[in-house]
Amino acid sequence: MKAAPFEYTRSATLAEACALLAEHGADAKLIAGGQSLVPMMAMRLARPAFLVDINRLDELKHVAIDGDALVVGAAVRQCVIERDARARERLPLLGKALKWVGHVQTRNRGTVGGSIVHADPSAEIPLVACVLDATLVLRDSSGASDLPAREFFFAPMITAIAPEQCLAEIRFPLWGGKVGSAFEEVSIRHGDFALVSACAQVEVNAEGKCVRAALGIGGASPFPHALPEIGELLAGKRLDDASIAAASEAVGDLIDPDGDLHATADYRRHLARVLAARVLRAAAEDAK
Amino acid sequence: MSEKLYPLKLTVNGKQHEAQVPSRQTLVDFLRDTLRLTGTHVGCEHGICGACSILLDGEPVRSCLIYAVQAEGCSVTTIEGLSLPDGTPGPLQDAFCETHALQCGYCTPAMIVASHALLESNPTPSEAEIRDAIGGNLCRCTGYQQIVEAVQLAAGKLAKGAK
């Protein structure tokens, strides 16, 4: 399997990469880690005429705490976040999600931003971005604009990004107080695409009541599915068996999964309920 | 019909190479077809099987998911670079033979590369850590158990040697 021929440019600056996108539009494609794009090019599901390499742009490789956000440059490799002390301490949910992302070899190349713009509906990083409603900073040759992650994903591999835009950074909001989180997934083998995944983050107060909760389901909808309804349901309640069972039941009603070769729609709904309960319990325990 | 070629300079197993490569040539094809380093295997060519694992600047990666031109200025280590200076098998390679960690051998070079990277960063891995490190490499013969045993054996031998 060989990719179709393409012109290759190694960009030295983000401005240069954006200028090439502005010039070539949909004929150009950015390459960062390439862990999804290269297979798609090998299978000729993608055949860009111009490949713009942004792997060496230091402008896209920052990791920082900025006020109440963890800011991650779009081309930061997944393995860097796994090892980053600030990310582990301030946003452990991201590290918990990364354990399910591919394998050592793919996390060494794959980037945080690349996973988001690729927009596989079963991918873990996009789910975390949606659950926390991260802010995506998009750049083009005329400037930068912000977009909430929950408005970014439309359908499998279809997003709000325009051909001339580059995802520059992701701003994950940081919660204060007693926060706990969890990520769970069922796949055929560890590292494979999730049949269904669930991700939760909760904040509890001194009385053990839920101040806020965020939950999302991956793999069961055409996009990473944040379920703010569950947060509303749990706010002010104790995260006990009864409230978690009610939330888990509601999850099954809020999603409308499709069946395929790997799992029927009913099985995906069942998994979503079970995994939702599991991550809520684990997140509540983690918050103690 | 000739394709546009791009200049490439990189170090492979400690040796500098300069070449002209088509943009779409993957790093594994460059290593095998141009440098004739055929120890790195080509399996699925789309990042599933892990048979093409190499070390890129010391980190294990899949060389079918990187275009050769992208490795400009990088240092690559292949299975050929993991034998002892006199060309005889290194401790991991010996351990794979000793525990019968291979049958057809197709996945073996990449298994050794992945295990080597693990032992470099974690000389005393648990069984779970070994299984995680080789999780991206498919083996259709062994059932993995002997591979895990090989890595444990090599870790033990290397620890003794280090004393």
Side-chain angles (χ1 to χ4, degrees):
Chain A
M1 283 186 296
K2 297 287 174 265
F6 56 85
E7 291 252 354
Y8 173 83
T9 311
R10 189 180 302 117
S11 293
T13 63
L14 181 55
E16 189 186 301
C18 289
L20 282 166
L21 291 180
E23 185 185 345
H24 298 296
D27 289 337
K29 199 91 179 130
L30 298 174
I31 185 166
Q35 301 300 290
S36 302
L37 180 59
V38 176
M40 287 182 69
M41 287 173 66
M43 292 183 269
R44 302 204 176 187
L45 297 170
R47 35 192 316 170
F50 299 89
L51 201 61
V52 181
D53 192 338
I54 54 169
N55 271 290
R56 304 198 182 198
L57 298 185
D58 288 337
E59 299 159 81
L60 300 179
K61 293 196 178 168
H62 51 289
V63 181
I65 303 286
D66 179 13
D68 57 359
L70 173 73
V71 181
V72 180
V76 170
R77 300 204 194 279
Q78 292 154 6
C79 64
V80 170
I81 291 295
E82 282 182 285
R83 295 170 198 156
D84 188 277
R86 291 156 300 179
R88 288 163 73 136
E89 191 198 322
R90 301 296 304 275
L91 192 62
L93 177 57
L94 201 49
K96 290 171 191 172
L98 281 166
K99 288 200 193 321
W100 299 94
V101 177
H103 305 283
V104 177
Q105 287 102 321
T106 58
R107 292 193 299 269
N108 279 338
R109 280 299 284 177
T111 62
V112 175
S115 175
I116 289 176
V117 293
H118 180 61
D120 186 296
S122 66
E124 293 82 2
I125 298 169
L127 183 60
V128 172
C130 283
V131 164
L132 297 178
D133 206 12
T135 300
L136 308 182
V137 181
L138 304 171
R139 273 280 298 269
D140 62 24
S141 47
S142 64
S145 57
D146 290 356
L147 191 69
R150 289 183 192 169
E151 293 171 25
F152 184 73
F153 301 94
F154 297 149
M157 294 172 207
I158 299 175
T159 69
I161 203 162
E164 66 276 9
Q165 285 180 317
C166 171
L167 175 60
E169 68 180 33
I170 304 100
R171 303 175 68 88
F172 294 97
L174 297 171
W175 292 11
K178 285 166 75 177
V179 177
S181 62
F183 199 107
E184 280 285 340
E185 172 171 322
V186 170
S187 55
I188 291 172
R189 290 162 304 197
H190 188 96
D192 283 4
F193 295 104
L195 295 179
V196 173
S197 57
C199 163
Q201 184 162 293
V202 301
E203 183 191 341
V204 295
N205 63 17
E207 291 96 64
K209 284 188 178 157
C210 176
V211 178
R212 52 177 165 169
L215 179 108
I217 300 290
S221 306
F223 46 84
H225 203 154
L227 298 168
E229 298 89 342
I230 301 301
E232 288 159 26
L233 196 75
L234 292 172
K237 289 191 184 136
R238 214 166 274 286
L239 294 169
D240 54 18
D241 287 351
S243 68
I244 288 174
S248 149
E249 200 55 31
V251 165
D253 299 333
L254 288 165
I255 57 168
D256 184 20
D258 278 334
D260 61 20
L261 201 62
H262 303 294
T264 61
D266 283 348
Y267 181 51
R268 281 205 162 86
R269 179 174 282 112
H270 168 75
L271 282 180
R273 284 195 177 117
V274 171
L275 294 179
R278 216 177 272 176
V279 289
L280 285 171
R281 259 197 305 272
E285 190 60 35
D286 186 38
K288 276 179 190 166
Chain B
M1 213 179 77
S2 68
E3 246 178 280
K4 183 177 169 185
L5 298 177
Y6 294 77
L8 170 64
K9 258 194 222 176
L10 79 174
T11 306
V12 180
N13 301 331
K15 204 174 144 199
Q16 276 254 315
H17 294 271
E18 278 188 47
Q20 298 282 323
V21 295
S23 57
R24 61 173 167 161
Q25 184 174 49
T26 58
L27 183 55
V28 66
D29 283 348
F30 173 76
L31 294 170
R32 289 176 56 87
D33 299 346
T34 307
L35 301 186
R36 306 303 297 162
L37 293 169
T38 52
T40 305
H41 290 170
V42 179
C44 69
E45 291 187 86
H46 64 288
I48 301 293
C49 73
C52 65
S53 299
I54 56 150
L55 302 179
L56 185 73
D57 294 330
E59 305 268 20
V61 299
R62 290 172 168 168
S63 59
C64 76
L65 295 187
I66 300 170
Y67 295 114
V69 64
Q70 294 187 281
E72 170 68 22
C74 293
S75 173
V76 169
T77 304
T78 66
I79 184 68
E80 288 90 345
L82 295 184
S83 48
L84 298 177
D86 65 359
T88 55
L92 252 173
Q93 288 157 312
D94 272 340
F96 268 64
C97 295
E98 219 171 298
T99 64
H100 300 278
L102 63 148
Q103 185 178 322
C104 85
Y106 207 89
C107 71
T108 312
M111 284 289 183
I112 291 175
V113 165
S115 308
H116 176 87
L118 170 69
L119 296 183
E120 287 280 292
S121 63
N122 178 4
T124 53
S126 66
E127 182 179 337
E129 287 168 331
I130 294 171
R131 288 184 183 273
D132 186 56
I134 61 168
N137 298 71
L138 296 182
C139 171
R140 300 289 76 158
C141 304
T142 64
Y144 303 98
Q145 187 54 43
Q146 299 101 301
I147 296 176
V148 174
E149 286 164 15
V151 181
Q152 289 169 325
L153 179 65
K157 283 188 174 174
L158 285 165
K160 266 189 206 154
K163 271 175 200 168

